[in-house]
Amino acid sequence: MSVRHKLFLAMSSIILLMGLLFAFLTQSVIWGILRSQLDVDRRHEVTELADRLLAAYEENGRSWETADRVNELPAPDTIGGHKQASYAITSSAGGMIVFRGPLAPQQVRRLGQQQPLYSADGASFRLHYSDEEVASRAIVRAGIGSSVTVFLLGGGILLALLALVIAYRLSAKLTAPLHALLPAIERLGRGEPGVQAPVTSKDEYGQVALAFNQMSDRIRRAEDARKNLVADVAHELRTPLTIARGKLEWIQQSGQAVEPEQLLPLQDELLRLTRLVDELHQLSLAEARRLTLERRPVAMVELLERSLERIRMEAEDKELLLTLNVPPSPVPTLWADPHRLAQVFLNLLANAIRYTPQGGSVTVTVNLLRSPDADLLQVAVADSGIGIEEQHLSSLFDRFYRTDEARNRNSGGMGIGLAIAREFVLLHKGTLEVASSPGKGSTFTVTLPYMTPPMSP
């Protein structure tokens, strides 16, 4: 059963139950009002008449027929002096035994007041009494009651039908966004990543559709990354392998003794392959949260100074100005893995130097962020380089991703350095963010929390 049908049945059941409850309460209240306003109290007269009738019954040998024949039964006009007073006596089976009075017998039995009669011999009868006032008010009460019943029944049926139509249309309208989302879900289930669902509202359905679209887009990008992974690895391995193969073939064909310096290109390519395999292994461990951090107290300013010294020669070759800005107050030591953090900042500095033109600058700024919730250390690496276009920023930390300006090997790296840096920062419960504009340079900001060292056992 679909959600639309379930919602329709639930709404219909509630409407019908509420209608029946309203009709029952209305009927009960109206009948109560009619009884209190139109009932005539003849209990005294009926009790007196019952006593006289039972006395006449006993005196005439416990026979209604004999008492009636000898006129021992009381006359109706002697009962309270009410106009058109009439009474009837019926057996326990409902048969008429005695009737006296000007009113019709059926009218007396149907509209009159009743009281049981019990004789000394155990016989039971029923006394029916009515007069002009009792009969007229009973007729009015029955007429109003039946009219109300017909009105409630007819109006209830009409309103129930109208409510069912409204409930059906309302259930269809409420579930329409869900029906619009189902085809996209089915297509995603059939293996079509990236399919988008229409967002038709701004309510919870719209939020679900937006969340689905974001999830579908992430699945598409993950699927694209999975498909491209093998091609990217093969692409990275092909160049050093081709160079090594060509060099070995030349050595074989030359037939001459091999000088040590002739093996240097082979060593360089082997080192490149080793570095690529090591970085891929580290990235896989970090993404699986299986990489172990060797935390110890780290003086961040000293770590950044050592990182700048390691890349200073490359910066001087391009006449770049390297600057380290630290706050005037002492920077507290950080409980972290110094080797992993050094890899992060060396990667960011190497990228900054690679994409900054001759005569530019690279600036490292350290800030302390204090708040009631947590104390944070923020390190920003800013360059005056070529910048990055906005459409590349969301994918910049994906493995093997390169912007168009960095596709060639002479100016670009292997495309996994930023992915590794982000994972290492995430392992420290921190964040790595980028802000950039074409022609205005880029700023990579690392934010790390101060973590308390574990207590010694």
Side-chain angles (χ1 to χ4, degrees):
M1 183 180 295
S2 64
V3 176
R4 176 182 297 180
H5 291 158
K6 291 180 180 179
L7 184 60
F8 171 69
L9 289 178
M11 295 174 65
S12 302
S13 301
I14 293 175
I15 292 172
L16 291 177
L17 288 175
M18 292 181 63
L20 291 175
L21 181 61
F22 173 76
F24 173 75
L25 293 176
T26 303
Q27 184 84 343
S28 301
V29 171
I30 291 177
W31 276 107
I33 294 174
L34 291 177
R35 281 194 296 269
S36 64
Q37 297 296 321
L38 299 178
D39 276 359
V40 181
D41 189 4
R42 294 287 190 264
R43 287 177 293 180
H44 178 71
E45 290 83 348
V46 173
T47 301
E48 180 184 349
L49 177 59
D51 293 340
R52 293 171 62 183
L53 288 172
L54 286 175
Y57 175 76
E58 295 292 340
E59 290 175 0
N60 289 276
R62 294 178 177 174
S63 171
W64 294 113
E65 183 179 357
T66 301
D68 189 21
R69 187 173 57 250
V70 298
N71 293 324
E72 291 291 335
L73 299 178
D77 54 4
T78 63
I79 308 170
H82 301 294
K83 293 181 180 181
Q84 295 186 339
S86 305
Y87 66 85
I89 299 175
T90 59
S91 64
S92 58
M96 183 72 73
I97 300 176
V98 177
F99 177 78
R100 284 194 173 189
L103 297 178
Q106 293 301 324
Q107 185 179 9
V108 174
R109 294 184 62 178
R110 185 167 57 87
L111 302 177
Q113 298 183 7
Q114 304 179 22
Q115 180 171 316
L117 300 176
Y118 300 102
S119 63
D121 59 353
S124 62
F125 309 94
R126 182 164 291 277
L127 171 62
H128 305 264
Y129 170 83
S130 182
D131 55 40
E132 182 180 17
E133 186 179 8
V134 172
S136 62
R137 292 199 179 190
I139 292 173
V140 173
R141 184 181 64 188
I144 294 177
S146 61
S147 299
V148 170
T149 301
V150 172
F151 174 76
L152 288 176
L153 183 61
I157 293 175
L158 181 61
L159 291 176
L161 292 176
L162 180 61
L164 290 177
V165 173
I166 295 175
Y168 181 79
R169 292 185 176 275
L170 185 61
S171 62
K173 183 177 181 179
L174 291 176
T175 57
L178 184 59
H179 280 271
L181 182 61
L182 285 177
I185 295 176
E186 293 175 353
R187 290 176 59 188
L188 182 63
R190 291 195 298 266
E192 298 183 34
V195 62
Q196 298 292 291
V199 181
T200 58
S201 62
K202 296 182 180 180
D203 55 8
E204 288 80 0
Y205 283 116
Q207 295 176 5
V208 170
L210 286 174
F212 172 82
N213 291 340
Q214 295 172 358
M215 177 190 68
S216 178
D217 188 60
R218 287 195 296 269
I219 293 175
R220 178 190 60 79
R221 285 185 291 170
E223 183 67 13
D224 292 343
R226 184 189 66 81
K227 292 179 180 179
N228 294 331
L229 177 61
V230 176
D232 289 333
V233 173
H235 177 74
E236 294 295 335
L237 295 177
R238 185 180 299 114
T239 299
L241 288 176
T242 301
I243 294 175
R245 177 181 176 183
K247 191 66 177 178
L248 290 175
E249 289 178 352
W250 179 82
I251 292 174
Q252 284 182 327
Q253 293 174 0
S254 65
Q256 300 176 359
V258 180
E259 299 295 332
E261 59 269 14
Q262 293 179 328
L263 297 177
L264 290 178
L266 291 178
Q267 184 180 12
D268 292 340
E269 297 305 325
L270 289 176
L271 290 175
R272 179 183 178 87
L273 287 174
T274 302
R275 186 171 70 253
L276 173 61
V277 173
D278 289 342
E279 289 183 349
L280 282 174
H281 181 62
Q282 291 181 12
L283 179 59
S284 299
L285 290 178
E287 289 178 338
R289 299 298 183 266
R290 294 171 54 191
L291 188 65
T292 303
L293 295 180
E294 298 180 2
R295 295 181 182 269
R296 59 175 65 94
V298 178
M300 286 301 301
V301 175
E302 296 179 5
L303 184 144
L304 292 172
E305 289 175 346
R306 289 196 300 270
S307 299
L308 287 172
E309 285 300 321
R310 291 179 64 178
I311 52 93
R312 187 172 298 278
M313 185 177 296
E314 298 177 17
E316 291 175 351
D317 291 341
K318 298 181 69 174
E319 299 180 357
L320 301 181
L321 175 63
L322 297 181
T323 305
L324 175 61
N325 297 324
V326 298
S329 58
V331 178
T333 58
L334 194 70
W335 185 254
D337 187 329
H339 176 65
R340 305 302 180 190
L341 290 184
Q343 285 184 265
V344 171
F345 292 112
L346 282 174
N347 184 279
L348 297 179
L349 290 170
N351 283 342
I353 292 174
R354 181 180 298 119
Y355 298 115
T356 300
Q358 192 87 8
S361 64
V362 176
T363 304
V364 180
T365 304
V366 181
N367 289 310
L368 298 177
L369 305 179
R370 300 187 182 276
S371 67
D373 298 330
D375 293 337
L376 303 174
L377 175 68
Q378 190 177 80
V379 180
V381 179
D383 62 63
S384 60
I386 59 177
I388 305 170
E389 295 183 1
E390 184 177 359
Q391 65 266 25
H392 298 300
L393 295 179
S394 60
S395 304
L396 198 61
F397 297 103
D398 295 343
R399 60 173 69 183
F400 296 111
Y401 185 83
R402 297 187 183 90
T403 60
D404 292 338
E405 290 79 9
R407 287 291 179 184
N408 64 78
R409 291 183 178 279
N410 295 327
S411 60
M414 291 183 290
I416 59 175
L418 288 178
I420 293 176
R422 182 187 63 176
E423 294 300 329
F424 284 177
V425 172
L426 290 177
L427 286 175
H428 286 83
K429 309 299 181 184
T431 60
L432 174 56
E433 300 173 333
V434 59
S436 181
S437 298
K440 297 182 179 180
S442 304
T443 301
F444 288 83
T445 304
V446 177
T447 304
L448 298 169
Y450 282 97
M451 302 184 67
T452 304
M455 298 296 295
S456 301

